[in-house]
Amino acid sequence: MERTQFTAEVIRQIKSIPAGYVSTYGMIAAMAGNPRAARQVARVLHSCSARDALPWYRVINAGGNISLPRGGGYERQKALLQREGIVFDETDRVDLQRFMWTMPA
DNA sequence: AACCTGACTTCGG
DNA sequence: TCCGAAGCCAGGT
């Protein structure tokens, strides 16, 4: 697998998300240098999460929701996040204002 | 090299 | 606030 500088940076960013926080595909893409490549982040996630021991479950979409389908990993991801203290509201959404991780100054 | 695809995002109705 | 359509990009085929 070839890893572009972008991909390598995406991996680094994902690894930097601390427990108890989440980030979005778009945010990671932006931090990796390409705000438009959110979809690539998803690709990196499902292809390198195991190999690079990435905390894949800390990545959700811009709407504060888990992007995996019910029965297709959704429950697992939600459980992992709740285990770290992330709170889901009645519509299974996460309060990004409160849990989204942002690079420290 | 061209075409297809997706764990996304954004905008308009 | 919710739904659909269009845009965007790197990788895989």
Side-chain angles (χ1 to χ4, degrees), chain A residues 76-95:
Chain A
R76 181 174 46 155
Q77 178 166 17
K78 181 178 179 181
L80 285 167
L81 289 176
Q82 294 183 310
R83 178 190 299 175
E84 298 191 339
I86 304 301
V87 178
F88 289 78
D89 64 20
E90 50 291 332
T91 61
D92 285 318
R93 213 176 319 185
V94 174
D95 180 357

Side-chain angles (χ1 to χ4, degrees), chain A residues 43-79:
Chain A
R43 184 182 291 288
V44 171
L45 241 47
H46 80 80
S47 65
C48 305
S49 55
R51 179 177 44 131
D52 293 281
L54 303 179
W56 60 271
Y57 54 86
R58 296 188 188 140
V59 185
I60 60 180
N61 64 41
N65 272 117
I66 287 176
S67 290
L68 293 173
R70 309 273 169 168
Y74 182 98
E75 289 75 7
R76 181 174 46 155
Q77 178 166 17
K78 181 178 179 181

Side-chain angles (χ1 to χ4, degrees), chain A residues 2-61:
Chain A
E2 267 114 277
R3 38 214 110 123
T4 60
Q5 181 275 317
F6 169 75
T7 298
E9 193 56 33
V10 166
I11 292 175
R12 182 192 302 183
Q13 292 304 325
I14 295 175
K15 284 185 175 178
S16 76
I17 304 173
Y21 283 90
V22 298
S23 190
T24 67
Y25 301 88
M27 183 59 58
I28 292 173
M31 293 192 287
N34 191 336
R36 317 278 181 180
R39 308 186 73 154
Q40 290 327 294
V41 175
R43 184 182 291 288
V44 171
L45 241 47
H46 80 80
S47 65
C48 305
S49 55
R51 179 177 44 131
D52 293 281
L54 303 179
W56 60 271
Y57 54 86
R58 296 188 188 140
V59 185
I60 60 180
N61 64 41

